[in-house]
């Protein structure tokens, strides 16, 4: 963790503020460290002492230190403009190969029960998250349970103890992959945005085996399921030598507060990119001042908010509706290139009353219809594409079918 004091020592938070009060103005409120009321933090220091409240400096391993949580929380609080909770878990000297070992990598016990058991701190970490969420009204009295909550992202900065043990380093890539998958499964959020800050704390421009393993999580050819929901930030550029730092502890980034500030800022930037990619409709709505839900009609023009976004300014632009062969018809429409937070269902009907899924799974007793993308080409904007859909009718041909696309946003 980075040092906050003493004044005048390079690399401390006080030094940063004193020498650049404009950039770091948000960290201070007069002569005191600012405390946010829209960004909260929950942290059990050393796994025992519960600290909770408005985000501020001092939530490091000691009350005079900070970690990446400080600037990460400031940046995410600004980004959301509403209540944000940072749940921090941190213990010194822990490895992914043993302490945080994910269950899918295999444990030497069915259930870890004490420090030193494989996976003990993996379980402890998730137990802390569950505890924090279960006791929100107690820990944060201004929280309204009616507002609910969303587990929006996961940040990971760890690796020194794996770096210095060659056997641990050799299995880091596999363990990191399983860790991401297991955390998502344990929290019940399948594509939870996941940001990794590499373990670049030594000033060596050559990547260590652990850093390379961490960076591999962005190899979407090897890990296609991580595309759009996992990001890695390279931290080597955040290293400051001992002459510019409060101490000579390489494994703690020489306790340089600016390093931890930059790591938090970088992680927040990556997290925001992932969140926007995972929530394209919400991102569009926010950018256009739309406050109603997907099915509402904020501007009263008769077109739902979600349809205005999906169909590029609300025009379905269905073209080319035609028979393309025996029992086959096709049509073309506009849609967003990124539709991650929308469920699309093609449906068919004979009478506009009863509708069936157009994926071949439902029948009216006579027919089925299966629709699938045939071609996709560039659309009217960088964020939209034009898709031609081909629908195949199973069973005898009828005089008419009705077809529609049903859109829903969770």
């Amino acid at each position: 963790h980075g040092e906050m004091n003493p004044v005048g020592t390079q690399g401390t938070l006080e030094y940063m503020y004193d020498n650049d009060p404009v950039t770091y103005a948000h960290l201070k409120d007069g002569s005191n460290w600012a405390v946010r009321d829209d960004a909260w933090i929950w942290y059990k220091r050393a796994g025992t002492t519960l600290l909770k409240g408005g985000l501020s400096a001092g939530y490091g391993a000691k009350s005079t230190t900070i970690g990446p949580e400080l600037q990460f929380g400031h940046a995410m609080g600004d980004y959301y403009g509403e209540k944000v909770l940072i749940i921090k878990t941190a213990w010194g000297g822990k490895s992914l190969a043993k302490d945080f070992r994910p269950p899918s990598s295999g444990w030497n016990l069915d259930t870890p029960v004490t420090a030193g058991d494989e996976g003990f701190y993996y379980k402890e970490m998730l137990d802390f998250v569950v505890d924090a969420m279960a006791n929100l009204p107690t820990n944060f009295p201004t929280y309204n349970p009616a507002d609910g909550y969303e587990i929006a992202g996961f940040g990971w900065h760890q690796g020194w103890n794996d770096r210095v043990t060659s056997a641990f380093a050799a299995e880091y890539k596999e363990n990191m992959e399983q860790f991401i998958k297991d955390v998502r499964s344990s929290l019940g959020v399948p594509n939870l945005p996941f940001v990794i800050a590499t373990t670049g704390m030594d000033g060596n421009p050559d990547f260590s085996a652990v850093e390379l393993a961490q960076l591999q999580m962005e190899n979407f050819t090897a890990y296609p399921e991580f595309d759009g929901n996992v990001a890695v930030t390279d931290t080597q550029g955040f290293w400051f030598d001992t002459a510019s730092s409060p101490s000579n502890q390489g494994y703690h980034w020489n306790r340089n507060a600016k390093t931890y500030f930059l790591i938090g800022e970088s992680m927040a930037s990556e997290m925001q990119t992932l969140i926007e990619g995972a929530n394209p409709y919400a991102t569009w709505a926010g950018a256009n001042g739309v406050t109603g839900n997907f099915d509402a009609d904020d501007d009263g023009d008769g077109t739902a908010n979600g349809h205005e976004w999906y169909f590029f300014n609300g025009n379905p632009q269905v073209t080319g509706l035609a028979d393309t062969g025996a029992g086959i018809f096709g049509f073309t429409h506009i849609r967003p290139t990124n539709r991650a937070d929308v469920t699309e269902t093609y449906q068919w009907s004979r009478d506009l009353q009863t509708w069936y899924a157009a994926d071949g799974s439902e029948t009216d007793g006579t027919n089925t219809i299966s629709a699938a993308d045939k071609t996709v080409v560039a659309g009217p904007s960088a964020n939209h594409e034009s898709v031609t859909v081909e629908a195949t009718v199973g069973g005898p041909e009828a005089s008419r079918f009705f077809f529609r696309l049903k859109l829903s946003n969770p």
Side-chain angles (χ1 to χ4, degrees):
H1 288 88
E3 295 287 349
M4 294 158 54
N5 299 303
V7 176
T9 302
Q10 285 195 57
T12 64
L13 204 62
E14 286 281 8
Y15 184 91
M16 291 163 55
Y17 178 82
D18 289 344
N19 286 271
D20 191 352
V22 175
T23 298
Y24 305 112
H26 64 288
L27 299 180
K28 281 290 188 87
D29 181 8
S31 61
N32 299 315
W33 297 113
V35 180
R36 293 187 70 131
D37 60 8
D38 61 345
W40 299 333
I41 184 165
W42 185 104
Y43 171 45
K44 274 192 178 180
R45 182 175 286 147
T48 57
T49 304
L50 178 58
L51 307 171
K52 53 188 172 59
L55 179 72
S56 186
Y59 283 89
K62 299 182 295 182
S63 61
T64 57
T65 60
I66 65 162
E69 77 285 337
L70 178 62
Q71 182 55 19
F72 180 85
H74 274 291
M76 296 308 297
D78 291 344
Y79 175 75
Y80 276 110
E82 57 186 11
K83 290 289 191 295
V84 173
L85 172 63
I86 308 299
I87 301 174
K88 175 177 177 175
T89 62
W91 297 269
K94 302 297 180 281
S95 69
L96 179 61
K98 183 177 181 180
D99 303 295
F100 288 107
R101 189 176 187 85
S104 292
S105 290
W107 290 340
N108 55 7
L109 295 172
D110 289 339
T111 302
V113 294
T114 188
D117 292 346
E118 287 184 352
F120 176 79
Y121 285 96
Y122 174 90
K123 182 176 180 296
E124 192 84 338
M125 171 189 72
L126 290 175
D127 286 347
F128 283 5
V129 172
V130 171
D131 180 26
M133 304 313 296
N135 294 288
L136 276 173
T138 301
N139 292 324
F140 304 95
T142 60
Y143 167 73
N144 182 359
D147 292 339
Y149 64 81
E150 172 193 9
I151 300 177
F154 189 100
W156 178 253
H157 179 50
Q158 176 277 343
W160 179 266
N161 280 64
D162 294 277
R163 279 184 57 165
V164 297
T165 306
S166 58
F168 289 1
E171 61 176 281
Y172 197 96
K173 182 169 68 172
E174 179 181 352
N175 288 334
M176 190 77 258
E177 175 192 2
Q178 298 305 327
F179 183 86
I180 295 170
K181 293 177 178 178
D182 285 355
V183 165
R184 289 171 165 174
S185 177
S186 295
L187 294 177
V189 187
N191 292 310
L192 180 68
F194 202 105
V195 174
I196 301 165
T198 63
T199 176
M201 63 281 278
D202 64 359
N204 186 342
D206 296 327
F207 289 121
S208 66
V210 167
E211 289 171 276
L212 290 173
Q214 291 168 332
L215 290 166
Q216 274 294 300
M217 296 303 103
E218 279 192 327
N219 179 351
F220 301 134
T221 300
Y223 306 107
E225 68 272 37
F226 292 167
D227 191 1
N229 54 65
V230 173
V232 184
T233 181
D234 176 11
T235 63
Q236 283 198 358
F238 305 151
W239 169 263
F240 297 96
D241 61 23
T242 56
S244 305
S245 302
S247 76
N248 182 14
Q249 287 185 334
Y251 52 90
H252 284 154
W253 291 100
N254 294 330
R255 296 199 175 276
N256 195 296
K258 188 171 183 178
T259 292
Y260 288 97
F261 180 97
L262 293 171
I263 291 173
E265 187 170 63
S266 179
M267 292 179 75
S269 177
E270 294 287 358
M271 185 65 73
Q272 290 165 20
T273 298
L274 292 182
I275 289 170
E276 290 174 3
N279 300 277
Y281 168 71
T283 300
W284 172 86
N288 289 276
V290 176
T291 58
N293 63 29
F294 190 86
D295 296 317
D297 180 13
D298 276 29
D299 57 8
D301 65 353
T303 301
N305 297 331
H307 292 186
E308 292 198 18
W309 162 72
Y310 187 96
F311 292 113
F312 189 61
N313 298 327
N315 181 2
Q317 301 184 57
V318 176
T319 60
L321 183 61
D323 291 334
T324 57
I328 300 173
F329 63 93
F331 58 92
T332 300
H333 68 84
I334 302 299
R335 68 185 184 189
T337 52
N338 183 358
R339 309 176 302 284
D341 57 351
V342 174
T343 300
E344 304 156 295
T345 307
Y346 290 110
Q347 297 178 325
W348 66 275
S349 174
R350 289 181 182 274
D351 56 11
L352 295 177
Q353 299 297 315
T354 304
W355 292 89
Y356 304 93
D359 59 4
S361 66
E362 296 181 355
T363 178
D364 66 346
T366 303
N367 293 105
T368 61
I369 296 182
S370 299
D373 293 359
K374 184 178 182 181
T375 60
V376 178
V377 298
S381 78
N383 297 320
H384 283 77
E385 61 193 17
S386 177
V387 58
T388 296
V389 178
E390 189 170 78
T392 302
V393 179
E397 291 193 42
S399 59
R400 67 182 182 183
F401 290 111
F402 299 98
F403 211 74
R404 73 181 183 184
L405 171 58
K406 185 177 180 180
L407 304 175
S408 60
N409 171 251

